[in-house]
Amino acid sequence: MSKNAFCLQVPKKDGERTLKIANKLGLTDKTLLIQKGKDDLLYIPLIRQLEEKELTLLTTHVPQLKLGAKSFLKKNKQPQTLADVLKNELEPTLLGALPRAIDVVGDIAIIEIPPRLEAYKHLVGNAILKTHKNIRTVLAKAGAVKGTYRLREFEFIVGEQKTKTLHKENGCSYFVDVAKAYFSPRLSSEHNRVASLVQSGENIVDLFAGVGPFVVLIAKKHPDVKVYGVDINADAIDLLKKNARLNRVENRVYAVAGDARQVVNEKLEGVADRVIMNLPETAVEFIDTACKALKSSGGVVHFYGFVRLNESIENLKQRFVAAVEKSGRQVKIFSYIKPVRETAPREYQVVLDTKIL
Ligand SMILES: C[S@@+](CC[C@H](N)C(=O)[O-])C[C@H]1O[C@@H](n2cnc3c(N)ncnc32)[C@H](O)[C@@H]1O
């Protein structure tokens, strides 16, 4: 689409200066594309003809400036929201049901399609490709996170049919396969918070490491630590090893495939200054394992649990303290307690940072 407009003709070398003045005077037509002409000339579209004093000002600064008129291409405005793109295709009530939260993992968008929009899911997927230029694939959640590996099923909606991608988080890059190993972009701040607490020279054990967003980041931030990442899912450990290499921290990352309890019993007893336990569903069953992994002098545990409906954080703390004491250790202090995110209606993932003796 094009439009005729008055314009300024200037040598390319004067383009930036001219544009600055024209913008200041509010003369540039920003809906049209500036054109390059022959002989290194630029054509800057205007919203109207110049007044005498505006021309004088411009030519004082850019003596070679000439006036003209020509046809300019209109800028392709990128639609901002899904509702913008779909406003002519969906009724207002359906527009109101469009997904607000889109999880972006690398170039994959993961959405929840409400039942009312089931018949329009491809329309919604294509609108996401239009509004998010970095997205190549749209997947819909097709169930809850479940099972030992904490995976969910996805339905392919549009784009490239794939579940593997490269995700960037906190300055690190991660190979992720959302169908084969757990990964949530919503934990980015938590990964960073924990990594920032690590002290020089520590040994860290992540009992449920996944593809390594705690492990790799800690190793990257702290060149003088050793980080052990355990996961029962062999695919997660393969990705963790790749991610350690990708971020050049393989010399301080030790990735072990297996059940956390067994791995600690066999290889990691008494090695840790810090233990990370991000398996909120069942981490409570592994508190004895975390205690066993800690050095005899004690250390820090980052424990994640769910608090649902009428349960309270206080309940979670009590269960934690009881399990620690059953393992012959003591909770010296809870240094940080906070809901990390809402995981379902009235269900929160909560973190307890504790010092254990
Ligand atoms: C919620 S994910 C957390 C992954 C990672 N820490 C993160 O922040 O993305 C929990 C991980 O624990 C692993 N897991 C479950 N049971 C386990 C066990 N008994 N021993 C070791 N890993 C286990 C799962 O395979 C999954 O990758």
Side-chain angles (χ1 to χ4, degrees), residues 148-149 182 191 207-209 213-214 231-233 258-260 278 286:
T148 305
Y149 295 173
Y182 178 92
H191 296 145
L207 292 176
F208 314 111
F214 283 115
D231 204 291
I232 201 165
N233 177 355
D259 168 53
N278 183 16
F286 290 86

Side-chain angles (χ1 to χ4, degrees), residues 95-152:
L95 286 176
L98 284 170
R100 287 205 185 89
I102 299 178
D103 281 347
V104 175
V105 181
D107 59 0
I108 299 178
I110 299 171
I111 52 171
E112 228 164 300
I113 299 279
R116 276 196 294 167
L117 283 177
E118 184 56 30
Y120 306 96
K121 60 191 174 196
H122 296 108
L123 211 60
V124 174
N126 280 315
I128 290 174
L129 293 182
K130 263 192 197 154
T131 51
H132 296 69
K133 291 293 175 205
N134 50 339
I135 296 298
R136 298 269 166 278
T137 301
V138 180
L139 304 177
K141 294 179 185 174
V145 171
K146 61 177 194 288
T148 305
Y149 295 173
R150 311 310 295 150
L151 298 177
R152 75 161 91 236

Side-chain angles (χ1 to χ4, degrees), residues 280-326:
E281 194 67 42
T282 49
V284 113
E285 295 165 19
F286 290 86
I287 293 170
D288 59 335
T289 299
C291 289
K292 199 161 193 179
L294 283 177
K295 286 182 175 167
S296 55
S297 52
V300 174
V301 173
H302 304 278
F303 173 87
Y304 296 84
F306 285 131
V307 172
R308 298 186 170 108
L309 295 169
N310 45 7
E311 292 169 348
S312 67
I313 294 185
E314 206 43 50
N315 287 154
L316 191 67
K317 277 170 69 183
Q318 280 169 12
R319 271 190 288 156
F320 184 86
V321 170
V324 169
E325 287 176 357
K326 206 170 160 200

Side-chain angles (χ1 to χ4, degrees), residues 59-325:
T59 44
T60 315
H61 289 89
V62 188
Q64 284 175 278
L65 177 141
K66 288 188 182 146
L67 295 179
K70 70 195 310 295
S71 169
F72 287 90
L73 285 175
K74 286 190 178 169
K75 278 185 193 167
N76 254 346
K77 250 210 218 152
Q78 192 174 319
Q80 289 306 296
T81 64
L82 289 185
D84 280 342
V85 178
L86 294 171
K87 63 176 183 268
N88 297 325
E89 325 222 20
L90 294 178
E91 292 170 18
T93 52
L94 292 175
L95 286 176
L98 284 170
R100 287 205 185 89
I102 299 178
D103 281 347
V104 175
V105 181
D107 59 0
I108 299 178
I110 299 171
I111 52 171
E112 228 164 300
I113 299 279
R116 276 196 294 167
L117 283 177
E118 184 56 30
Y120 306 96
K121 60 191 174 196
H122 296 108
L123 211 60
V124 174
N126 280 315
I128 290 174
L129 293 182
K130 263 192 197 154
T131 51
H132 296 69
K133 291 293 175 205
N134 50 339
I135 296 298
R136 298 269 166 278
T137 301
V138 180
L139 304 177
K141 294 179 185 174
V145 171
K146 61 177 194 288
T148 305
Y149 295 173
R150 311 310 295 150
L151 298 177
R152 75 161 91 236
E153 306 223 325
F154 295 101
E155 182 189 351
F156 168 72
I157 304 292
V158 287
E160 280 172 38
Q161 191 152 4
K162 62 172 189 176
T163 53
K164 286 184 195 168
T165 187
L166 184 71
H167 181 75
K168 297 213 166 124
E169 180 181 283
N170 296 317
C172 296
S173 301
Y174 297 94
F175 292 115
V176 176
D177 185 336
V178 293
K180 289 197 168 164
Y182 178 92
F183 184 80
S184 170
R186 298 187 190 192
L187 291 171
S188 157
S189 309
E190 190 54 22
H191 296 145
N192 196 40
R193 187 187 71 82
V194 170
S196 306
L197 295 171
V198 168
Q199 304 291 308
S200 167
E202 282 188 0
N203 289 340
I204 298 103
V205 173
D206 185 347
L207 292 176
F208 314 111
V211 304
F214 283 115
V215 172
V216 171
L217 179 62
I218 290 172
K220 185 102 184 172
K221 274 188 182 242
H222 306 276
D224 59 348
V225 297
K226 278 188 193 157
V227 199
Y228 300 86
V230 184
D231 204 291
I232 201 165
N233 177 355
D235 288 319
I237 289 295
D238 282 349
L239 288 162
L240 169 49
K241 286 181 179 163
K242 269 186 166 184
N243 290 332
R245 286 196 294 273
L246 180 65
N247 293 281
R248 300 205 174 88
V249 292
E250 70 273 24
N251 61 336
R252 41 190 185 275
V253 165
Y254 305 86
V256 192
D259 168 53
R261 184 178 304 281
Q262 202 177 333
V263 173
V264 168
N265 283 341
E266 290 172 5
K267 299 185 177 144
L268 298 176
E269 188 172 344
V271 306
D273 298 288
R274 187 179 298 271
V275 176
I276 303 167
M277 306 180 70
N278 183 16
L279 179 62
E281 194 67 42
T282 49
V284 113
E285 295 165 19
F286 290 86
I287 293 170
D288 59 335
T289 299
C291 289
K292 199 161 193 179
L294 283 177
K295 286 182 175 167
S296 55
S297 52
V300 174
V301 173
H302 304 278
F303 173 87
Y304 296 84
F306 285 131
V307 172
R308 298 186 170 108
L309 295 169
N310 45 7
E311 292 169 348
S312 67
I313 294 185
E314 206 43 50
N315 287 154
L316 191 67
K317 277 170 69 183
Q318 280 169 12
R319 271 190 288 156
F320 184 86
V321 170
V324 169
E325 287 176 357

